[in-house]
Amino acid sequence: MSHRPLLGAVSCSSHYDAISGNSDDGPTFPSDDIGRRIVEKRLLRKLDLRVAFLVLVYIVNVMDRTNIAAARLRGYEEDLGMMGNQFNTLTSILYVGYLLTQAPSNMILHRMKRPSLYLSSCMIIWAATTACMSAVQTYHDALILRFLLGFVEAVFFPGAVFLLSQWYKHNELGLRTAFLYCGGSVSNAFGALIASGILGSLDGTLGFTAWRWLFFVEGTMTIVVAVSAIWIIPDFPSTPSAWLLPDEQTLAKRRMEEEVVGGNEHKGKSGEGFSGLAEALTDCKVWWIGVAFHLMACSMSFSLFFPTLSATMGYNATISLLLCAPPWILGTATSFVVARHSDATGDRFWHIAGPQLVGIIGYMLAISTMNTTMRYLSLFLMTQTPVAYVVTLTWVMNTFSQSQSKRAAAIALINTMASAGMISSSYFWPSSWGPSYVNSYMICILTNVVSIAMLWVFRVHLSRCNEAAEAEEHALGLPRGFRYLL
């Protein structure tokens, strides 16, 4: 079999040289295995508590991003005089901000000593923007604020993912990434419940309509979380941290050095961030998996209109919002199980393709009937598609793990391509295609199938790179080095 790459002239060398010893003069941790395991367990427990807070931040991030779908059920379109596809444009414009911000933001974040301050400041700005949405009087006012909201919100998710990759080893990332991303599913579930409570109880209070209270209350909630984040979001392992003991700080840095393969990490060099960006831009793997991610995001566009799809079953706004919660709760639970099993087995592709296929079954079921029970069942199956998104994101971090700066750029670029998918797919769900939305579901099936095919080619390519690295090691008598996870 030929070892030539399938995705262009991309080097398959695996950077397997031995990692040089740590020369830190700071505190040390016990060198024996038992002592290290004790310190490592303590370190991971502290880290996981802070990741739990990142999940809370992501919950309010998604809530502020998608609350217009709930507002739509209580006169939002009518009050602002929207016509035609203007609501779809309002949904789409937020991701234009994402498109412009994500890659530059991650390159800035990579060079900072205190990413916690940067992320928290952006949170405060987007929270204030969300609260200001309650005061808009025209469609164009809402359009401007939605663009600004996306411009600032875009900082958080790729930045948080990059932070995780700076603290956790490759076999620990899947579960933690799932934990973070599941904040989106939790937000879709409980955000709908919160929206139901606000829309149902505050309508007319102080003379304001329910949807204005929705934006104001959720924006205020986010400000509280944002201020707390200044002291809770972790910085990098190299940044002195009051919440870590000296031996934990040393081990945190040592763990990441052990993850760096062949001394390929660029530290303290001028123009380091731009070098990582150039490496990511010229790596065909980044573009290939980015396009697959883009298609996967398109297939998940149903999540932006989930309350609308729930309302097609014929219930009132309050019941429709309450019915949104159970499917997302199941999707959250499945994400943890699949991500944990993916980490344990070291497999990525089949743990991506499986949930995507379940999602396709859900789309097909929704196409085939207008029966209330079956359409509700289809929503449970559709919410399995984001599970694949979680594992794919972990696969990205594993694949581009040799260089810190390149990893930051690759994560941002690939997330940017995914965000571009949300821009176009916002128009997959025009009101004129409802209530069956057959055409919308057909597009989701197509994008899912093409995404699976592209990820299969990606897996084959990485497998051949691993074979080439193994053959080179055998010929030169070198120890086993880096291998791509498949």
Side-chain angles (χ1 to χ4, degrees):
M1 177 186 296
S2 169
H3 296 300
R4 296 182 65 184
L6 295 179
L7 304 181
V10 180
S11 172
C12 291
S13 59
S14 56
H15 308 293
Y16 39 73
D17 298 333
I19 300 172
S20 59
N22 182 25
S23 60
D24 287 345
D25 295 325
T28 59
F29 55 88
S31 58
D32 60 286
D33 288 342
I34 296 177
R36 171 168 172 147
R37 281 199 297 270
I38 293 173
V39 176
E40 195 162 28
K41 185 176 180 180
R42 216 166 55 223
L43 169 65
L44 290 176
R45 184 167 59 246
K46 290 183 177 182
L47 276 174
D48 288 343
L49 287 174
R50 289 175 183 263
V51 171
F53 183 80
L54 285 176
V55 175
L56 175 60
V57 176
Y58 192 48
I59 288 173
V60 297
N61 177 279
V62 175
M63 197 179 297
D64 292 344
R65 186 193 317 168
T66 59
N67 48 19
I68 64 168
R72 187 186 195 187
L73 301 181
R74 293 301 294 265
Y76 183 57
E77 284 181 287
E78 292 80 4
D79 288 353
L80 296 186
M82 294 187 208
M83 297 178 293
N85 285 333
Q86 286 186 328
F87 182 83
N88 301 82
T89 302
L90 201 62
T91 302
S92 173
I93 194 69
L94 179 135
Y95 294 98
V96 175
Y98 271 64
L99 202 65
L100 297 173
T101 307
Q102 288 189 100
S105 174
N106 252 29
M107 301 318 299
I108 293 170
L109 186 71
H110 164 60
R111 299 174 69 83
M112 286 188 166
K113 291 187 178 296
R114 294 291 308 278
S116 57
L117 292 178
Y118 175 63
L119 294 176
S120 301
S121 299
C122 292
M123 285 178 62
I124 292 171
I125 296 171
W126 98 52
T129 305
T130 299
C132 287
M133 289 283 290
S134 64
V136 298
Q137 298 298 323
T138 68
Y139 166 71
H140 293 98
D141 293 340
L143 199 65
I144 292 169
L145 286 177
R146 284 282 292 178
F147 171 76
L148 293 176
L149 181 64
F151 194 82
V152 184
E153 269 199 357
V155 166
F156 176 72
F157 187 69
V161 169
F162 178 60
L163 272 181
L164 291 186
S165 73
Q166 295 302 292
W167 286 97
Y168 291 102
K169 300 173 77 170
H170 74 276
N171 61 334
E172 301 164 347
L173 268 175
L175 183 60
R176 273 73 180 191
T177 305
F179 195 35
L180 174 64
Y181 188 77
C182 280
S185 298
V186 171
S187 181
N188 285 322
F190 293 99
L193 296 179
I194 293 171
S196 176
I198 295 171
L199 295 174
S201 61
L202 293 181
D203 190 23
T205 302
L206 299 180
F208 295 109
T209 55
W211 65 263
R212 294 188 186 277
W213 280 111
L214 177 66
F215 291 121
F216 180 78
V217 171
E218 292 190 350
T220 304
M221 288 168 51
T222 304
I223 289 176
V224 174
V225 175
V227 173
S228 305
I230 297 172
W231 294 278
I232 301 178
I233 291 178
D235 295 309
F236 296 126
S238 57
T239 305
S241 304
W243 55 278
L244 288 178
L245 297 175
D247 56 348
E248 295 166 350
Q249 185 95 48
T250 302
L251 179 56
K253 291 187 285 187
R254 179 69 61 84
R255 277 160 45 88
M256 292 302 99
E257 288 168 1
E258 292 169 352
E259 286 289 283
V260 176
V261 183
N264 193 40
E265 189 74 61
H266 308 294
K267 293 184 179 180
K269 295 182 181 179
S270 177
E272 168 192 357
F274 297 105
S275 172
L277 179 60
E279 289 177 21
L281 287 170
T282 55
D283 190 339
C284 292
K285 294 193 296 296
V286 171
W287 295 101
W288 186 268
I289 199 168
V291 173
F293 225 28
H294 172 95
L295 293 168
M296 191 183 297
C298 288
S299 73
M300 289 164 47
S301 60
F302 71 89
S303 62
L304 301 176
F305 299 88
F306 209 75
T308 299
L309 299 179
S310 178
T312 62
M313 292 184 290
Y315 298 103
N316 63 35
T318 301
I319 299 298
S320 295
L321 287 170
L322 292 174
L323 290 174
C324 290
W328 287 113
I329 292 172
L330 176 64
T332 302
T334 307
S335 294
F336 287 122
V337 174
V338 173
R340 188 177 184 86
H341 192 262
S342 177
D343 275 351
T345 60
D347 173 81
R348 297 298 185 224
F349 173 77
W350 292 111
H351 289 79
I352 296 168
Q356 284 185 285
L357 291 171
V358 173
I360 289 173
I361 294 172
Y363 302 139
M364 294 174 67
L365 187 60
I367 288 171
S368 63
T369 180
M370 288 298 294
N371 177 270
T372 299
T373 302
M374 300 308 291
R375 284 185 77 82
Y376 193 48
L377 175 61
S378 74
L379 296 181
F380 281 88
L381 299 177
M382 288 179 214
T383 57
Q384 300 307 301
T385 305
V387 177
Y389 195 94
V390 174
V391 183
T392 307
L393 192 58
T394 308
W395 202 9
V396 168
M397 290 187 284
N398 296 148
T399 302
F400 305 104
S401 62
Q402 299 97 321
S403 165
Q404 184 185 90
S405 55
K406 181 178 178 180
R407 184 192 310 135
I411 290 171
L413 287 171
I414 290 167
N415 270 284
T416 297
M417 285 186 265
S419 297
M422 303 307 284
I423 295 173
S424 57
S425 62
S426 296
Y427 295 95
F428 290 177
W429 304 87
S431 299
S432 58
W433 287 1
S436 64
Y437 290 103
V438 171
N439 294 334
S440 307
Y441 289 124
M442 290 293 291
I443 295 172
C444 289
I445 292 172
L446 177 62
T447 52
N448 240 339
V449 169
V450 177
S451 174
I452 292 172
M454 290 188 70
L455 290 173
W456 170 255
V457 174
F458 187 71
R459 181 185 186 277
V460 171
H461 170 68
L462 296 186
S463 177
R464 292 187 177 184
C465 287
N466 286 345
E467 291 172 3
E470 187 170 356
E472 186 178 356
E473 288 168 358
H474 182 73
L476 299 177
L478 296 171
R480 180 181 174 84
F482 176 77
R483 294 291 186 274
Y484 292 111
L485 291 182
L486 307 180

